């Protein structure tokens, strides 16, 4: 037989070791021919034992026999139930994998095809595909992608799709330059993709088989972050977009599986928009294949962080089939599909226009019914969608009337951080409604939300603090309610030491509401709120100034907006804290006045408003008035005094008045 009989008979020497961080990967040395004939522990089941000895005999023939014997042995081996774990284990233990992999290097088509067929079937087993990787099978499979035979290409790609579920194998494929080869195999005539398989010529059917195997292999390989980028550079996105128009459903499933896996990356999100795939995703949401629907919904879930994608989903009518799937009772048992669909609805609900369409479909009631689901991923997505919908006042009433408040409060006892982030969001939105707030107080929800300030997640802390703002504002006895929380005020003041900008902003917003009650203001003053707020003004201003000057941080629009939110609520907290004892003088003594003047240079009108309120309060202290005047606040105040915002007008005028009075008194004394 051409290719060398010695390559067929002996076990293959292992490929050179490569460092890999896959803890499951290991390199095993091939055993000698004599050792491979010694069986392991034969199964106790008589039928399994008979299969075991039969396979051992076939492997022996493949090692020692001639070309004809090898082909016959392979044919006999394929007659066994290769999907059976006992058969797969027997092939591995007897040394059959080494022999089969060696056959891939022969020049005989039948031997290569027979060996590939067996390897393709047994590689469904995790242990076997790991062992195949360690034995150096992956480079051989990549080489076979260039074989003139379409049949060999197809089976090689299919085998790669199984083996590539191993992390080490994915890395080897990339290093062997296998990704561009697989992408090239997807580039076929569109007419073939749009013609039913039974209407194609035999050669054309083989081409479709190659596309099917390649698409499946790329799906497996796209699990690697580095592979995603390599696939994109190889032109994979455009070809995947073409595959979505195929009549071969399994090809579409594999293509959409790859798309949804890559959709979390911004480069792919832009390409998905550019190639017009959103319409295809929406179209396949109505398909009967649950896997295809899941991939489409998951892709929308990942892409809909982008506002343009959310708009496209609505324009293509994608919200309707998503809600229809949600209402399908049969879907309730398919948790992966349910999680993908609820996730897509959640992200789409970020846009208020989408919320209005969801309202037309009466989605909120359906979402509330899912609050009893036991799957935390589904719950997280459902609650996130409810938070988006609750921004419209009438939906808060719907949530309350459907019994959603009690179910949401129960979820506060969970430990899943992503779920807690969304629960606090929706309860914070609901607290703006009087009936919802009354029920939340009855269920002791405020205490539970307050306790989440101790959560290790900064996102949970921030959302909990933000939810407390409307809770304190709309509670009938907010002052007494806050004081009843033992250690609550000390806890929230301590969060002013956080390093997270969003946590600081939300805590300042909550403290601003707490300080509106005189008794609570006295308590937080005793806990050191004034020096902490003053330190925050100083450190935040100096840190940002140093970062921008040094070039370490390039402030993008999102960072600027985040900073302005902190400035807005920090100034508001200072304004309200000035109303107790000598806090106003203390802020000035601690050096908080001059940095606050700098807040007036912000482009955000909300920052101007709260800063003017803080400066008006601070200007009641004579020494602060001097600092304000020396810091150049007057030009800012003269500009904002003409604002259409009456609160800003009044605060600016009050500050100017106090500065003017001090100047006049000083003049008279002189």
């Amino acid at each position: 037989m051409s290719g060398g009989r010695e390559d067929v008979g002996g076990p293959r020497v292992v490929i050179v070791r490569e460092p890999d961080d896959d803890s499951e990967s290991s390199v095993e040395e091939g055993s000698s021919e004599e050792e491979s004939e010694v069986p392991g522990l034969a199964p106790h089941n008589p039928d399994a034992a008979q299969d075991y000895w039969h396979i051992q005999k076939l492997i022996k023939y493949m090692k020692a026999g001639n070309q004809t014997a090898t082909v016959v042995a392979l044919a006999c081996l394929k007659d066994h139930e290769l999907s059976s774990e006992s058969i797969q284990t027997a092939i591995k233990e007897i040394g059959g994998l080494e022999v089969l992999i060696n056959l891939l290097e022969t020049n005989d088509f039948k031997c290569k095809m027979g060996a590939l067929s067996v390897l393709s079937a047994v590689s469904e087993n995790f242990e076997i595909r790991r062992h195949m990787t360690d034995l150096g099978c992956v480079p051989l499979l990549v080489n076979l992608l260039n074989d003139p035979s379409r049949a060999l290409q197809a089976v090689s790609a299919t085998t790669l799709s199984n083996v590539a579920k191993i992390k080490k194998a994915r890395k080897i494929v990339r290093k062997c330059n296998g990704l561009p080869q697989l992408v090239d195999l997807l580039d076929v005539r569109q007419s073939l993709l749009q013609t039913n398989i039974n209407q194609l010529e035999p050669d054309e059917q083989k081409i479709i088989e190659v596309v099917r195997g390649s698409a499946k292999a790329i799906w497996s390989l796209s699990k690697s972050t580095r592979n995603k980028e390599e696939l994109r550079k190889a032109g994979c996105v455009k070809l995947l977009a073409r595959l979505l128009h195929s009549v071969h459903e399994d090809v579409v499933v594999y293509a959409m599986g790859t798309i949804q896996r890559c959709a979390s990356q911004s480069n792919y999100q832009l390409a998905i928009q550019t190639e017009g795939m959103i319409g295809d995703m929406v179209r396949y949401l109505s398909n009967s294949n649950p896997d295809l629907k899941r991939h489409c919904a998951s892709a929308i879930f990942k892409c809909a962080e982008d506002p343009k994608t959310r708009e496209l989903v609505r324009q293509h009518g994608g919200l309707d089939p998503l809600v229809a799937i949600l209402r399908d009772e049969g879907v309730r048992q398919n948790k992966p599909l349910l999680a993908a669909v609820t996730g897509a609805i959640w992200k789409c609900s970020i846009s208020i226009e989408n919320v209005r369409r969801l309202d037309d479909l009466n989605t909120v009631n359906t979402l509330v019914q899912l609050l009893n689901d036991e799957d935390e991923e589904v719950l997280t997505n459902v609650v996130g969608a409810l938070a988006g919908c609750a921004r419209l006042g009438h939906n808060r009433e719907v949530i309350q009337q459907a019994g959603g408040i009690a179910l949401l409060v129960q979820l506060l006892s969970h430990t899943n951080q992503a779920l807690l982030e969304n629960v606090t969001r929706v309860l914070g939105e609901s607290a703006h409604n009087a009936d919802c707030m009354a029920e939340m107080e009855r269920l002791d929800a405020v205490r539970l939300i307050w306790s989440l300030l101790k959560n290790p997640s900064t996102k949970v802390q921030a959302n909990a603090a933000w939810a407390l703002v409307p809770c304190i504002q709309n509670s009938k006895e907010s002052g007494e309610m806050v004081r009843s929380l033992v250690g609550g005020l000390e806890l929230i003041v301590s969060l002013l030491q956080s390093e997270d900008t969003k946590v600081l902003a939300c805590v300042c917003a909550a403290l601003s509401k707490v300080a509106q009650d005189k008794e609570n203001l006295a308590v937080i003053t005793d806990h050191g709120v004034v020096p902490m707020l003053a330190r925050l003004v100083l450190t935040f201003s100096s840190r940002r100034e140093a970062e921008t000057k040094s070039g370490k941080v390039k402030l993008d629009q999102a960072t600027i907006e985040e900073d302005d939110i902190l400035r807005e609520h920090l100034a508001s907290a200072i304004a309200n804290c000035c109303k107790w004892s000598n806090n106003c003088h203390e802020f000035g003594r601690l050096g908080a006045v001059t940095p606050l003047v700098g807040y007036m240079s912000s482009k955000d009108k909300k920052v101007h408003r709260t800063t003017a309120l803080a400066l008006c309060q601070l200007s009641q202290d004579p020494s602060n008035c001097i600092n304000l005047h020396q810091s150049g606040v007057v030009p800012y105040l003269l500009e904002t005094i003409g604002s259409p915002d009456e609160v800003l007008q009044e605060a600016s005028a009050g500050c100017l008045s106090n500065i003017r009075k001090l100047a006049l008194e000083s003049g008279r004394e002189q």
Side-chain angles (χ1 to χ4, degrees):
M1 179 171 53
S2 58
R5 191 57 243 174
E6 58 275 7
D7 287 340
V8 178
R12 178 174 175 77
V13 178
V14 176
I15 295 296
V16 177
R17 291 176 183 264
E18 286 189 84
D20 193 277
D21 57 356
D22 185 359
S23 60
E24 294 173 338
S25 298
S26 62
V27 179
E28 298 178 19
E29 297 290 342
S31 58
S32 67
E33 181 175 338
E34 290 76 19
E35 289 172 337
S36 67
E37 293 181 6
V38 178
L41 293 175
H44 294 296
N45 184 306
D47 292 336
Q50 185 176 0
D51 287 337
Y52 191 93
W53 298 118
H54 191 203
I55 289 170
Q56 184 186 27
K57 188 179 294 185
L58 293 174
I59 299 298
K60 182 179 178 181
Y61 286 153
M62 280 191 278
K63 285 183 179 181
N66 56 26
Q67 177 179 338
T68 304
T70 300
V71 173
V72 171
L74 285 169
C76 293
L77 188 58
K78 287 168 60 178
D79 288 338
H80 284 78
E81 187 60 47
L82 295 177
S83 60
S84 166
E85 188 173 348
S86 61
I87 299 294
Q88 294 169 351
T89 303
I91 293 173
K92 177 177 177 290
E93 288 182 353
I94 294 167
L97 292 178
E98 290 88 336
V99 178
L100 291 167
I101 291 171
N102 272 349
L103 288 172
L104 299 182
E105 292 188 287
T106 66
N107 294 327
D108 184 81
F109 170 79
K110 292 182 179 179
C111 286
K112 286 194 288 189
M113 191 66 198
L116 265 180
S117 300
V118 175
L119 289 171
S120 177
V122 299
S123 59
E124 295 284 353
N125 181 291
F126 170 78
E127 287 297 330
I128 286 184
R129 55 178 174 253
R130 187 181 72 173
H131 196 52
M132 288 171 61
T133 303
D134 294 339
L135 290 171
C137 182
V138 175
L140 300 178
L141 293 173
V142 171
N143 288 337
L144 288 173
L145 295 175
N146 294 318
D147 195 277
S149 168
R150 295 285 187 183
L152 277 177
Q153 288 180 344
V155 185
S156 298
T158 302
T159 309
L160 266 179
S161 71
N162 293 333
V163 179
K165 293 174 183 177
I166 298 291
K167 182 177 181 179
K168 183 177 181 180
R170 295 194 291 271
K171 179 179 178 181
I172 296 172
V173 172
R174 182 175 69 249
K175 288 191 171 185
C176 291
N177 204 34
L179 298 174
Q181 295 181 53
L182 286 165
V183 171
D184 287 343
L185 293 176
L186 298 181
D187 193 4
V188 299
R189 296 198 317 273
Q190 192 68 23
S191 59
L192 294 180
L193 296 172
Q194 295 178 333
T195 306
N196 289 327
I197 194 74
N198 54 5
Q199 297 176 338
L200 296 173
E201 297 295 326
D203 288 344
E204 294 174 332
Q205 292 180 4
K206 290 178 181 178
I207 293 175
I208 294 300
E209 288 299 321
V210 173
V211 171
R212 181 179 287 111
S214 301
K216 189 177 181 182
I218 288 172
W219 180 21
S220 295
L221 289 160
S222 65
K223 191 173 182 180
S224 163
T225 302
R226 290 185 63 182
N227 284 355
K228 290 175 186 176
E229 185 59 21
E230 291 297 321
L231 287 168
R232 188 186 66 81
K233 290 178 179 177
C236 184
V237 180
K238 189 178 291 290
L239 294 174
L240 289 173
R242 290 176 57 192
L243 294 184
L244 294 184
H245 296 277
S246 172
V247 298
H248 310 291
E249 189 173 276
D250 49 358
V251 172
V252 176
V253 170
Y254 301 145
M256 188 58 73
T258 303
I259 291 166
Q260 71 85 18
R261 188 168 274 169
C262 298
S264 55
Q265 296 193 340
S266 57
N267 287 336
Y268 273 92
Q269 291 173 4
L270 180 61
I272 286 169
Q273 286 182 18
T274 306
E275 295 295 333
M277 294 191 213
I278 301 298
D280 296 317
M281 293 175 189
V282 170
R283 176 163 53 90
Y284 285 121
L285 285 173
S286 301
N287 192 279
S288 59
N289 187 320
D291 289 333
L292 183 53
K293 288 194 287 190
R294 174 169 57 86
H295 293 324
C296 293
S298 182
I300 292 172
F301 173 38
K302 293 174 181 177
C303 291
E305 292 280 358
D306 179 76
K308 179 63 176 176
T309 299
R310 295 195 293 271
E311 182 182 352
L312 288 171
V313 171
R314 185 183 72 257
Q315 290 176 351
H316 286 287
L319 297 175
D320 298 55
L322 284 171
V323 175
I325 296 172
L326 204 63
R327 292 204 173 108
D328 186 349
E329 290 294 331
V331 173
R332 302 294 171 88
Q333 303 306 315
N334 187 340
K335 298 304 178 185
L337 175 56
L338 188 59
V341 170
T342 51
I345 293 174
W346 168 22
K347 295 303 180 181
C348 287
S349 70
I350 296 173
S351 295
I352 204 69
E353 295 84 1
N354 288 348
V355 173
R356 293 192 177 97
R357 179 55 191 159
L358 291 172
D359 286 351
D360 294 339
L361 299 170
N362 194 27
T363 309
V364 174
N365 277 303
T366 306
L367 290 169
V368 171
Q369 294 171 13
L370 287 170
L371 289 175
N372 286 310
D373 200 278
E374 68 280 1
D375 187 279
E376 288 194 338
E377 185 179 359
V378 172
L379 284 173
T380 299
N381 296 343
V382 167
V383 176
L386 284 172
C389 294
R391 287 175 297 161
L392 297 182
H394 62 273
N395 282 335
R396 299 166 193 158
E397 297 178 9
V398 175
I399 292 172
Q400 195 264 338
Q401 292 170 2
I405 298 298
L407 294 171
L408 288 166
V409 172
Q410 289 177 10
L411 295 178
L412 290 172
S413 60
H414 282 243
T415 57
N416 185 297
Q417 292 181 346
L419 175 58
L420 292 174
E421 288 173 34
N422 286 344
V423 174
T424 48
R425 282 180 57 228
V426 69
L427 287 175
E429 294 289 352
S430 300
H432 290 285
N433 178 279
D435 292 337
C436 291
M437 187 62 223
E439 186 171 355
M440 286 170 62
E441 286 190 270
R442 180 176 60 81
L443 296 169
D444 202 20
V446 178
R447 179 183 61 81
L448 294 171
I449 294 173
W450 207 295
S451 68
L452 292 177
L453 296 175
K454 296 184 288 187
N455 193 283
S457 166
T458 55
K459 291 182 179 179
V460 174
Q461 291 175 0
N463 285 6
W466 190 250
L468 290 174
V469 174
C471 290
I472 297 170
Q473 182 177 331
N474 298 313
S475 173
K476 292 181 179 178
E477 299 290 340
S478 62
E480 183 61 35
M481 176 191 69
V482 171
R483 284 191 296 278
S484 69
L485 302 170
V486 179
L489 291 174
E490 183 179 5
L491 171 62
I492 197 168
V493 170
S494 70
L495 284 178
L496 289 174
Q497 301 176 54
S498 174
E499 295 293 325
D500 187 271
T501 303
K502 188 176 181 183
V503 171
L504 292 171
C506 296
V507 168
C508 286
L511 283 171
S512 177
K513 299 299 179 185
V514 169
Q516 290 178 356
D517 180 88
K518 293 292 183 182
E519 292 185 44
N520 289 337
L521 176 54
V523 175
I524 62 175
T525 300
D526 290 341
H527 286 309
V529 72
V530 172
M532 286 190 180
L533 289 174
R535 182 183 61 83
L536 184 55
V537 173
L538 291 167
T539 56
F540 178 72
S541 300
S542 60
R543 186 178 71 206
R544 276 292 183 246
E545 184 179 353
E547 287 173 343
T548 50
K549 283 184 178 179
S550 65
K552 284 184 180 179
V553 175
K554 184 179 180 182
L555 298 183
D556 56 13
Q557 188 59 35
T559 305
I560 293 171
E561 290 175 1
E562 191 176 69
D563 288 353
D564 278 339
I565 293 172
L566 174 55
R567 292 187 183 100
E568 174 193 351
H569 297 298
L570 176 55
S572 179
I574 290 173
N576 288 332
C577 286
C578 280
K579 299 173 183 178
W580 177 257
S581 186
N582 65 336
N583 285 358
C584 181
H585 176 76
E586 279 296 298
F587 278 119
R589 187 182 67 80
L590 293 168
V593 173
T594 301
L596 268 177
V597 173
Y599 287 13
M600 296 297 286
S601 63
S602 170
K603 296 181 180 179
D604 192 325
K605 301 299 182 184
K606 294 178 182 178
V607 176
H608 295 168
R609 184 181 192 181
T610 58
T611 303
L613 288 168
L615 296 177
C616 182
Q617 291 294 327
L618 289 167
S619 66
Q620 294 178 17
D621 181 80
S623 59
N624 288 345
C625 280
I626 297 171
N627 287 336
L628 285 169
H629 189 272
Q630 292 175 345
S631 300
V633 75
V634 174
Y636 289 118
L637 296 175
L638 289 174
E639 182 179 347
T640 54
I641 202 170
S643 168
D645 184 337
E646 293 183 2
V647 175
L648 177 55
Q649 276 184 22
E650 186 176 344
S652 301
C655 187
L656 281 171
S657 176
N658 290 334
I659 295 172
R660 176 69 174 163
K661 285 178 184 177
L662 182 63
L664 290 173
E665 289 176 5
S666 299
R668 282 194 293 269
E669 290 174 1
Q670 292 174 359

